[in-house]
Structure formats: structure tokens, C-alpha cells
Amino acid sequence: MGSETTLTLPIIDFTNLKLDDNTSDWEAVKSQVYKALVEYGCFEANFDKIPLNLRKGIFASLEELFDLPLQTKLLNVSNKPFHGYVGQYPMVPLYESMGFDDADVYEKVESTTNILWPHGNPSFSKTIQSFSEQLSELDQIIRKMVLESLGAEKYLEEHMNSSNYLLRVMKYKGPQTSETKVGLNSHTDKNIVTILYQNQVHGLEVLNKDGKWISYKPSSPDSFVAMIGDSLHAWSNGRLYSPFHRVMMAGNEARYSAGLFSIPKGGYIIKAPEELVDEEHPLLYKPYDHVEFLKYYYTKEGQTELFALRTFCGLSSD
Ligand SMILES: O=C(O)CCC(=O)C(=O)O
Ligand SMILES: [Fe+2]
């Protein structure tokens, strides 16, 4: 009976909104953001602050990067898991990625770039850095709206100062078949907020609370996906949802995407503020260090856990 409706992510318009806004627009968008993050843990954001040349430039830069010989890409190593070059994994053969730590800071990007291009590549570094810096405004708007919605604005400065930005860029080869193949396995992000941008090849899917996969198809070239990671889920004492998502690929075309990840700094203890803990909302996770959690997550045991954060520091509540 009836036709199946296609599930879509909520769409929220950030056009003309600024970080220091104090307007009714801010309040209206804020309530949409909070509702979407409680229900879906993510939404499509229309954000018009990244100029067209930069939006195009980022994909040209990604092609240039992933076209480098494998032995060059392998030079980008990091002591933090998933921050350097990742690829050639038998489990996800279509997937490759590269991380740029402190991606909004030119000198930091330049030092990573110089590993790959020993004579430097300033236009590449500038594209990565400008894209990250300009997109970080959206991350900051969302986090400010979340803290205000939780009545926890007094923690805003501490919250913002205890994180940094990683830009992770991805290439998914087309599987050369119309059959759908896994590009990236289902997972939740572990960081604070992730903002994703992709080329014209779709593939991102988000699991909703009813256990149905929502396929993301951007409604405009200004569309980004904003998503909650486990650490903001824990900090909000479970109020915000951190959704499972994956990438599924079909066809011949390569998918390029870029994710701006706000990440808690090592040594900073993630702890739900006391205002968010009461009889109705008992503390869900013991205070924890994100980097210690990542070390556990990337062990053999951590990789088999569906809810690794719960195993690592979850408190049973009954
Ligand atoms: O490529 C994408 O759109 C998603 C990537 C992703 O989920 C991740 O890097 O955590
Ligand atoms: Fe992810």
C-alpha cells in the first residue's frame, strides 16, 4: 500500500548566519540544529561561506594528492591513528585517506605538504588551509548552538579551546560494477563534530534510530553534512546522538570527500557537566581522555566492539 517515501536528512539553512549573531534567526536555526542532533545526530547544512573557487579547488587538490605514487603517499605517517596516510586495506580496497593535523594553521599544513612535495606546493597547502579555516566557522556555530541549547554556555570557551581540527581527505575508487560495494564500513565518529563535503559521486549513508539507512544526496553545491561524534554524545550525557554511517560505492567514477573533524586534545578529560547529570539522566560515561580511548579503539578488541566507548568507559545505569 502506498509508495515508499525516500528518507532524507533534515536540511538546515545557515545562509547569512554569523558566529557572533544574536538575532531571532540564530535562535530559530539553533532549535532546528538541536532537534536534528537529538533525532538523527546529523543534518545537511546549507553553508554559503566557502567561495566557488575554493569548493572546486579542494577537489582538484585531492586529485593531485591521490595521484601521487603510493610510496610518496606512504611517507605521510602520524603517531596518531588515522591521521596519516591510510589505504590499501584488503577489507576496504576502494578506500584511501590522508590526514592534515591542525588543518586551519598554514605552517602545520605546509609541513605535511612538504613531506609529499619536497620542493613545496604552496597552492595545495593554501587550498587545504583556507577550506579548513572557512569551514571551521560552521563547526563553531554548531557547537555554540549545542552548548546554548544544553544551557551549558559557560563551558563554551573551555570546550572550544580544548580541541583542534583535522582535515581528513578521502578517495573511494569506483568499483567498476553496478553492484554496490562497501567503500567505508559502518562506524560512529569518535570526535566532537564532523563536517563532510563530497564531489558529485554519492555514497554516504546514515543509519537512523529506526535502523534504516538514509542515502545522502546533497541538495546544492553549498551542502555539507554535519555529524556528532562519540565525544559530544558523551559530553552531552547521551542527549545528542552519534549515528552509524558508511560509504557504499557503485559504478566507475571516483568519489572524493573531505571531512573537517573537531577533535578533543590529548590530556583533556571529557566529562559531562554536572548540569547535565541528574536522577533522570544518570552519568553514562566515566570521564575519559579521547586519545586514550582512540588507543583502545584501534586495538584488535576495540575494533570488534560495536559500541567501543561503552566498553571503554560506559557506566551501567539501572
Ligand atoms: O566520505 C564520507 O563521506 C564519509 C567519511 C567518514 O565517515 C569518515 O571519515 O569518518
Ligand atoms: Fe565517519
CSV table of all heavy atoms in Angstrom, one decimal, residues 135-165:
chain,number,residue,atom,x,y,z
A,135,LEU,N,35.6,26.6,6.8
A,135,LEU,CA,34.6,25.6,7.2
A,135,LEU,C,34.5,25.5,8.8
A,135,LEU,O,33.5,25.1,9.3
A,135,LEU,CB,34.9,24.2,6.6
A,135,LEU,CG,33.8,23.2,6.6
A,135,LEU,CD1,32.5,23.8,6.0
A,135,LEU,CD2,34.2,21.9,5.9
A,136,SER,N,35.6,25.8,9.4
A,136,SER,CA,35.6,25.7,10.9
A,136,SER,C,34.6,26.7,11.5
A,136,SER,O,34.1,26.5,12.6
A,136,SER,CB,37.0,25.9,11.5
A,136,SER,OG,37.4,27.3,11.4
A,137,GLU,N,34.2,27.7,10.8
A,137,GLU,CA,33.2,28.6,11.3
A,137,GLU,C,31.8,27.9,11.5
A,137,GLU,O,31.1,28.1,12.5
A,137,GLU,CB,32.9,29.8,10.4
A,137,GLU,CG,32.0,30.8,11.1
A,137,GLU,CD,31.6,32.0,10.2
A,137,GLU,OE1,32.2,32.2,9.1
A,137,GLU,OE2,30.7,32.8,10.6
A,138,LEU,N,31.6,27.0,10.6
A,138,LEU,CA,30.3,26.2,10.7
A,138,LEU,C,30.4,25.3,11.9
A,138,LEU,O,29.5,25.1,12.7
A,138,LEU,CB,30.1,25.4,9.4
A,138,LEU,CG,28.8,24.5,9.4
A,138,LEU,CD1,27.6,25.3,9.6
A,138,LEU,CD2,28.7,23.7,8.1
A,139,ASP,N,31.6,24.6,12.1
A,139,ASP,CA,31.8,23.8,13.3
A,139,ASP,C,31.5,24.6,14.6
A,139,ASP,O,30.9,24.2,15.5
A,139,ASP,CB,33.2,23.2,13.3
A,139,ASP,CG,33.6,22.6,14.6
A,139,ASP,OD1,33.4,21.4,14.8
A,139,ASP,OD2,34.2,23.3,15.5
A,140,GLN,N,32.1,25.8,14.6
A,140,GLN,CA,32.0,26.7,15.8
A,140,GLN,C,30.5,27.1,16.0
A,140,GLN,O,30.1,27.2,17.2
A,140,GLN,CB,32.9,27.9,15.7
A,140,GLN,CG,34.4,27.4,15.9
A,140,GLN,CD,35.4,28.4,15.4
A,140,GLN,OE1,35.2,29.6,15.5
A,140,GLN,NE2,36.5,27.9,14.8
A,141,ILE,N,29.8,27.5,14.9
A,141,ILE,CA,28.4,27.9,15.1
A,141,ILE,C,27.6,26.7,15.7
A,141,ILE,O,26.9,26.9,16.6
A,141,ILE,CB,27.8,28.3,13.7
A,141,ILE,CG1,28.4,29.6,13.2
A,141,ILE,CG2,26.3,28.3,13.8
A,141,ILE,CD1,28.0,30.0,11.8
A,142,ILE,N,27.8,25.5,15.2
A,142,ILE,CA,27.1,24.3,15.6
A,142,ILE,C,27.4,24.1,17.1
A,142,ILE,O,26.5,23.9,17.9
A,142,ILE,CB,27.4,23.1,14.7
A,142,ILE,CG1,26.8,23.3,13.3
A,142,ILE,CG2,26.8,21.8,15.4
A,142,ILE,CD1,27.3,22.3,12.3
A,143,ARG,N,28.7,24.1,17.5
A,143,ARG,CA,29.0,23.8,18.8
A,143,ARG,C,28.5,24.8,19.8
A,143,ARG,O,28.0,24.5,20.9
A,143,ARG,CB,30.5,23.6,19.0
A,143,ARG,CG,30.9,22.3,18.4
A,143,ARG,CD,32.4,22.2,18.0
A,143,ARG,NE,33.3,22.2,19.2
A,143,ARG,CZ,34.6,22.4,19.1
A,143,ARG,NH1,35.2,22.5,17.9
A,143,ARG,NH2,35.3,22.3,20.2
A,144,LYS,N,28.5,26.1,19.4
A,144,LYS,CA,27.9,27.2,20.2
A,144,LYS,C,26.4,27.0,20.4
A,144,LYS,O,25.9,27.1,21.5
A,144,LYS,CB,28.2,28.5,19.6
A,144,LYS,CG,27.8,29.7,20.4
A,144,LYS,CD,28.4,31.0,19.9
A,144,LYS,CE,28.0,32.1,20.9
A,144,LYS,NZ,27.6,33.3,20.2
A,145,MET,N,25.7,26.6,19.3
A,145,MET,CA,24.3,26.4,19.4
A,145,MET,C,24.0,25.2,20.3
A,145,MET,O,23.0,25.2,21.0
A,145,MET,CB,23.7,26.1,18.0
A,145,MET,CG,23.7,27.4,17.1
A,145,MET,SD,23.0,27.0,15.5
A,145,MET,CE,22.7,28.7,14.9
A,146,VAL,N,24.8,24.2,20.2
A,146,VAL,CA,24.6,23.0,21.0
A,146,VAL,C,24.7,23.3,22.5
A,146,VAL,O,23.9,23.0,23.3
A,146,VAL,CB,25.6,21.8,20.6
A,146,VAL,CG1,25.6,20.8,21.7
A,146,VAL,CG2,25.2,21.2,19.3
A,147,LEU,N,25.8,24.0,22.8
A,147,LEU,CA,26.0,24.4,24.3
A,147,LEU,C,25.0,25.3,24.8
A,147,LEU,O,24.5,25.1,25.9
A,147,LEU,CB,27.5,25.0,24.5
A,147,LEU,CG,28.5,23.9,24.9
A,147,LEU,CD1,28.7,22.9,23.8
A,147,LEU,CD2,29.8,24.5,25.4
A,148,GLU,N,24.5,26.2,24.0
A,148,GLU,CA,23.4,27.1,24.4
A,148,GLU,C,22.2,26.3,24.6
A,148,GLU,O,21.4,26.5,25.6
A,148,GLU,CB,23.2,28.2,23.3
A,148,GLU,CG,24.2,29.3,23.3
A,148,GLU,CD,23.9,30.4,22.3
A,148,GLU,OE1,22.8,30.4,21.7
A,148,GLU,OE2,24.8,31.2,22.1
A,149,SER,N,21.9,25.4,23.7
A,149,SER,CA,20.7,24.6,23.8
A,149,SER,C,20.7,23.7,25.1
A,149,SER,O,19.6,23.4,25.7
A,149,SER,CB,20.5,23.6,22.6
A,149,SER,OG,20.5,24.3,21.4
A,150,LEU,N,21.9,23.3,25.5
A,150,LEU,CA,22.0,22.5,26.7
A,150,LEU,C,22.1,23.3,27.9
A,150,LEU,O,22.2,22.8,29.0
A,150,LEU,CB,23.3,21.6,26.6
A,150,LEU,CG,23.3,20.5,25.5
A,150,LEU,CD1,24.7,19.9,25.4
A,150,LEU,CD2,22.3,19.4,25.8
A,151,GLY,N,22.0,24.6,27.8
A,151,GLY,CA,22.2,25.5,29.0
A,151,GLY,C,23.6,25.4,29.6
A,151,GLY,O,23.7,25.6,30.8
A,152,ALA,N,24.6,25.2,28.7
A,152,ALA,CA,25.9,25.0,29.2
A,152,ALA,C,26.9,26.0,28.5
A,152,ALA,O,28.1,25.7,28.3
A,152,ALA,CB,26.3,23.5,28.9
A,153,GLU,N,26.4,27.2,28.2
A,153,GLU,CA,27.2,28.2,27.6
A,153,GLU,C,28.5,28.5,28.3
A,153,GLU,O,29.5,28.9,27.8
A,153,GLU,CB,26.5,29.5,27.3
A,153,GLU,CG,25.2,29.6,26.7
A,153,GLU,CD,24.1,29.4,27.6
A,153,GLU,OE1,24.0,28.4,28.3
A,153,GLU,OE2,23.2,30.3,27.7
A,154,LYS,N,28.4,28.4,29.7
A,154,LYS,CA,29.5,28.8,30.5
A,154,LYS,C,30.8,28.0,30.2
A,154,LYS,O,31.9,28.3,30.5
A,154,LYS,CB,29.2,28.8,32.0
A,154,LYS,CG,29.1,27.5,32.6
A,154,LYS,CD,28.9,27.7,34.1
A,154,LYS,CE,29.2,26.5,34.9
A,154,LYS,NZ,28.4,26.3,36.1
A,155,TYR,N,30.6,26.8,29.6
A,155,TYR,CA,31.7,25.9,29.2
A,155,TYR,C,32.3,26.2,27.8
A,155,TYR,O,33.2,25.5,27.4
A,155,TYR,CB,31.3,24.5,29.3
A,155,TYR,CG,30.9,24.1,30.7
A,155,TYR,CD1,29.5,23.9,31.0
A,155,TYR,CD2,31.8,23.8,31.7
A,155,TYR,CE1,29.1,23.6,32.3
A,155,TYR,CE2,31.4,23.5,33.0
A,155,TYR,CZ,30.1,23.4,33.3
A,155,TYR,OH,29.7,23.0,34.5
A,156,LEU,N,31.7,27.2,27.1
A,156,LEU,CA,32.0,27.3,25.7
A,156,LEU,C,33.5,27.6,25.4
A,156,LEU,O,34.1,26.9,24.6
A,156,LEU,CB,31.2,28.5,25.1
A,156,LEU,CG,31.2,28.6,23.6
A,156,LEU,CD1,30.7,27.3,22.9
A,156,LEU,CD2,30.5,29.8,23.0
A,157,GLU,N,34.1,28.5,26.2
A,157,GLU,CA,35.5,28.8,25.9
A,157,GLU,C,36.3,27.6,26.2
A,157,GLU,O,37.2,27.2,25.3
A,157,GLU,CB,35.9,29.9,26.9
A,157,GLU,CG,36.9,30.8,26.2
A,157,GLU,CD,37.3,32.0,27.1
A,157,GLU,OE1,36.4,32.7,27.6
A,157,GLU,OE2,38.5,32.1,27.4
A,158,GLU,N,36.1,26.9,27.3
A,158,GLU,CA,36.9,25.7,27.6
A,158,GLU,C,36.7,24.6,26.5
A,158,GLU,O,37.7,24.0,26.0
A,158,GLU,CB,36.4,25.2,29.0
A,158,GLU,CG,37.0,23.8,29.3
A,158,GLU,CD,36.4,23.2,30.6
A,158,GLU,OE1,35.9,23.9,31.4
A,158,GLU,OE2,36.4,21.9,30.7
A,159,HIS,N,35.5,24.5,26.1
A,159,HIS,CA,35.1,23.5,25.1
A,159,HIS,C,35.9,23.8,23.8
A,159,HIS,O,36.4,22.9,23.2
A,159,HIS,CB,33.6,23.5,24.9
A,159,HIS,CG,33.1,22.6,23.8
A,159,HIS,ND1,33.0,21.2,24.0
A,159,HIS,CD2,32.7,22.9,22.6
A,159,HIS,CE1,32.6,20.7,22.9
A,159,HIS,NE2,32.3,21.7,22.0
A,160,MET,N,35.8,25.0,23.4
A,160,MET,CA,36.5,25.4,22.1
A,160,MET,C,38.0,25.3,22.2
A,160,MET,O,38.6,24.9,21.2
A,160,MET,CB,36.1,26.8,21.7
A,160,MET,CG,34.7,27.0,21.3
A,160,MET,SD,34.3,26.0,19.8
A,160,MET,CE,32.6,26.3,19.6
A,161,ASN,N,38.5,25.7,23.3
A,161,ASN,CA,40.0,25.7,23.5
A,161,ASN,C,40.6,24.4,23.7
A,161,ASN,O,41.8,24.2,23.6
A,161,ASN,CB,40.4,26.6,24.6
A,161,ASN,CG,40.1,28.1,24.3
A,161,ASN,OD1,39.9,28.5,23.2
A,161,ASN,ND2,40.0,28.9,25.4
A,162,SER,N,39.8,23.4,23.9
A,162,SER,CA,40.4,22.1,24.2
A,162,SER,C,40.3,21.1,23.0
A,162,SER,O,40.3,19.9,23.1
A,162,SER,CB,39.6,21.4,25.4
A,162,SER,OG,38.2,21.3,25.1
A,163,SER,N,40.1,21.7,21.8
A,163,SER,CA,40.0,20.9,20.6
A,163,SER,C,40.9,21.4,19.5
A,163,SER,O,41.3,22.6,19.5
A,163,SER,CB,38.6,20.8,20.1
A,163,SER,OG,38.2,22.1,19.7
A,164,ASN,N,41.2,20.6,18.5
A,164,ASN,CA,41.8,21.1,17.3
A,164,ASN,C,41.2,20.5,16.1
A,164,ASN,O,40.3,19.6,16.2
A,164,ASN,CB,43.4,20.9,17.3
A,164,ASN,CG,43.7,19.5,17.2
A,164,ASN,OD1,43.0,18.6,17.6
A,164,ASN,ND2,44.9,19.2,16.6
A,165,TYR,N,41.6,20.9,14.9
A,165,TYR,CA,41.0,20.5,13.6
A,165,TYR,C,41.9,19.5,12.8
A,165,TYR,O,43.0,19.9,12.6
A,165,TYR,CB,40.6,21.7,12.8
A,165,TYR,CG,39.5,22.5,13.3
A,165,TYR,CD1,39.7,23.7,13.9
A,165,TYR,CD2,38.2,22.0,13.3
A,165,TYR,CE1,38.7,24.5,14.4
A,165,TYR,CE2,37.1,22.7,13.8
A,165,TYR,CZ,37.4,24.0,14.4
A,165,TYR,OH,36.3,24.7,14.9
